[in-house]
Amino acid sequence: MKVLVIGSGGREHAIVRAALASPRVEKVFCAPGNGGIAQEAECVPIGAMEFEKLVSFAKEENIGLTIVGMDDPLVEGIVDIFEREHLRVFGPRKNAAILEGSKAFSKDLMKKYHIPTAAYESFTDAKEALAYLEQAEFPIVLKADGLALGKGVLICNNLQEAKAGVKTIMEDKQFGSAGNCMVVEEYMIGREVSVLSFVDGKTIRTMASAQDHKRAGDGDQGPNTGGMGTFSPSPFYTDEVDAFCQEHIYQPTVDAMAAEGREFKGIIFFGLMLTEHGPKVLEYNARFGDPEAQVVLPRMKSDMIEVMEACIDGRLAEIELEFEDNAAVCVVLASDGYPVSYEKGFEIQGLERFQEARGYECFHAGTKLTQEGKILTNGGRVLGVTAKGADLKEARANAYKAAEWVKFENKYMRHDIGKAIDEA
Ligand code: AMP
Ligand code: GLY
């Protein structure tokens, strides 16, 4: 079978590799892909939002399965368009991708179906939001309703910051139309865990847990980013936490979507906060996490393609997911200055070290392959260096060792990815 992966980041590189590992796959294409993906799959210069071109390409190449990695095309309905053309595609339809596409929708869903989450109010009027905030307790969290590259969340410590936040989101529209509606949410304290899952509309199978590091700097300082590194599993995600979430969060979410006539097939990513009152949902995403995928997929023993096909066909109940009994850590190598401003176009050296090293992977995020075969930096997040180990400590030591194999001008990384595991 030929597979088409849509997207261009480290997540898509991890998906491409997992697809190539399936005995059922003869060739993988990626649109638009990046410099690293181009060395393993055939990259096609079609953007993730160019639905008509993607459909034509899938027909011409006789693609047996298209996997959508990114949120934007899902929220805009790419799956509906592929299905209408009788093309097999993995991901939620537009009416289900709203689980990620609208925070107001997902909060209302959780409230209606008693799924634990932070208390909240939604506003479409800035004046009403301000009146509410005058009475609120701080800190408090403001969230732009729509997609905002993970940046539409503001944690405000006092009324002054909250007023500035309302201006940023609702008046200045810094996150564009994502800020037409705003959710004001109770601030939760606890450890964050990401749990990704496969869903076939009825059945849900969760993958190994992971933890992201969203802030740019060591010690969780600096601005929010797409994610600077991950580890899997999370030692804080105990069997007891898992049992609670399976019963009160995961299956109820799938059932709620079905009850609303929004059957969800694809990946649900649960962003959880483990609070002193139990696990609560921070957010839902309708796709793999990036860089969560770079630690979770390398640990998965099950054939990803088989699992995805079972989701499409509603046969997931027949499948048990299997993961390696080890740990993985991913350190993101970024361009210095990310996420604010940074230079790109620098040559990357040392990548060949990964070809021979078992248990080490280098996923490309923002890279470009030149005609001479050089790899250049081409984005904020450049590479994700993943290493496995018998346990998290070993995996972390390996990941930081491998992070030194790679050299490029402007290379920046956090040095404390996985440090939290010392407290476990
Ligand atoms: P989100 O995009 O909703 O996951 O939010 C981005 C980040 O903001 C999360 O990963 C949390 O670190 C933080 N955050 C979001 N909502 C809350 C909340 N209600 N309480 C505390 N922190 C939050
Ligand atoms: N790493 C968080 C995300 O993919 O949204």
Side-chain angles (χ1 to χ4, degrees):
M1 174 171 59
K2 291 188 198 172
V3 169
L4 170 64
V5 177
I6 297 179
S8 61
R11 164 183 52 209
E12 284 74 22
H13 198 177
I15 294 171
V16 163
R17 252 184 217 171
L20 285 165
S22 170
R24 304 189 33 219
V25 173
E26 61 187 89
K27 179 158 187 183
V28 178
F29 295 90
C30 188
N34 62 39
I37 295 174
Q39 294 176 318
E40 292 159 52
E42 187 172 327
C43 289
V44 280
I46 306 177
M49 301 303 285
E50 296 183 286
F51 297 171
E52 296 307 324
K53 286 190 189 168
L54 290 168
V55 162
S56 304
F57 178 81
K59 285 185 175 168
E60 275 160 32
E61 284 292 342
N62 204 11
I63 299 290
L65 175 65
T66 297
I67 303 166
V68 187
M70 299 168 69
D71 44 8
D72 293 45
L74 289 169
V75 170
E76 290 301 322
I78 189 170
V79 169
D80 307 57
I81 291 174
F82 269 64
E83 285 183 347
R84 212 175 295 148
E85 301 287 338
H86 307 291
L87 291 163
R88 266 171 93 74
V89 56
F90 177 78
R93 293 183 189 141
K94 184 173 181 165
N95 73 350
I98 190 175
L99 191 62
E100 170 164 8
S102 166
K103 297 212 190 265
F105 170 85
S106 67
K107 295 295 292 188
D108 290 348
L109 186 87
M110 288 186 266
K111 189 191 246 176
K112 182 169 171 189
Y113 292 92
H114 310 291
I115 296 166
T117 188
Y120 74 103
E121 293 290 335
S122 312
F123 298 93
T124 49
D125 182 275
K127 278 203 203 73
E128 282 176 27
L130 285 169
Y132 177 83
L133 288 165
E134 299 269 359
Q135 315 289 327
E137 281 182 43
F138 293 91
I140 205 158
V141 185
L142 309 186
K143 298 186 174 184
D145 177 52
L147 296 181
L149 294 169
K151 291 173 194 133
V153 175
L154 303 175
I155 294 168
C156 305
N157 292 302
N158 50 51
L159 183 59
Q160 204 181 348
E161 285 180 21
K163 282 181 174 167
V166 172
K167 187 167 183 305
T168 304
I169 294 175
M170 300 190 86
E171 290 168 1
D172 299 348
K173 294 266 156 74
Q174 220 174 81
F175 311 108
S177 60
N180 289 348
C181 174
M182 185 182 79
V183 171
V184 178
E185 194 175 277
E186 165 204 3
Y187 179 75
M188 296 190 286
I189 296 170
R191 288 205 178 272
E192 281 186 49
V193 182
S194 303
V195 175
L196 316 187
S197 64
F198 289 98
V199 182
D200 75 351
K202 305 179 290 291
T203 301
I204 177 162
R205 292 278 185 261
T206 49
M207 296 177 236
S209 62
Q211 186 183 316
D212 192 8
H213 298 66
K214 285 215 169 78
R215 301 295 199 96
D218 284 4
D220 290 328
Q221 300 297 309
N224 257 324
T225 69
M228 293 300 295
T230 37
F231 59 83
S232 172
S234 164
F236 308 104
Y237 190 78
T238 59
D239 289 346
E240 194 190 347
V241 171
D242 182 61
F244 178 91
C245 294
Q246 298 285 355
E247 185 181 345
H248 298 284
I249 296 178
Y250 306 148
Q251 191 66 49
T253 299
V254 175
D255 295 345
M257 291 298 280
E260 293 292 310
R262 297 173 183 274
E263 181 184 69
F264 194 107
K265 289 186 178 194
I267 304 287
I268 301 183
F269 165 146
F270 297 86
L272 303 173
M273 185 75 98
L274 309 182
T275 77
E276 58 174 358
H277 305 296
K280 294 188 184 186
V281 177
L282 270 171
E283 64 159 348
Y284 293 116
N285 294 311
R287 41 141 184 107
F288 282 100
D290 188 347
E292 282 87 345
Q294 289 96 300
V295 283
V296 172
L297 286 176
R299 296 186 58 225
M300 191 163 93
K301 290 201 267 184
S302 314
D303 180 339
M304 180 191 74
I305 297 295
E306 202 177 303
V307 179
M308 288 179 168
E309 295 224 276
C311 289
I312 296 173
D313 298 332
R315 297 184 279 104
L316 190 58
E318 296 166 14
I319 289 190
E320 290 301 330
L321 293 183
E322 282 188 89
F323 284 82
E324 292 171 4
D325 183 21
N326 57 11
V329 170
C330 172
V331 177
V332 169
L333 306 185
S335 301
D336 196 13
Y338 170 74
V340 183
S341 69
Y342 48 84
E343 286 181 73
K344 47 194 194 183
F346 300 113
E347 185 176 350
I348 305 173
Q349 261 143 359
L351 292 167
E352 65 287 347
R353 294 271 312 251
F354 288 89
Q355 275 159 18
E356 300 300 315
R358 267 184 63 109
Y360 295 83
E361 303 202 53
C362 184
F363 297 110
H364 290 229
T367 69
K368 191 164 90 177
L369 181 63
T370 68
Q371 288 191 332
E372 302 82 58
K374 287 181 184 168
I375 297 275
L376 307 181
T377 66
N378 192 38
R381 289 192 291 180
V382 177
L383 302 166
V385 171
T386 294
K388 292 183 195 172
D391 58 18
L392 283 163
K393 282 206 171 109
E394 191 181 296
R396 179 172 65 172
N398 290 344
Y400 275 107
K401 180 180 70 188
E404 296 303 330
W405 298 346
V406 183
K407 307 244 180 293
F408 58 89
E409 211 171 299
N410 253 9
K411 175 175 141 187
Y412 172 83
M413 66 181 138
R414 274 183 64 160
H415 291 89
D416 60 350
I417 301 303
K419 194 145 184 271
I421 57 189
D422 297 341
E423 297 156 30

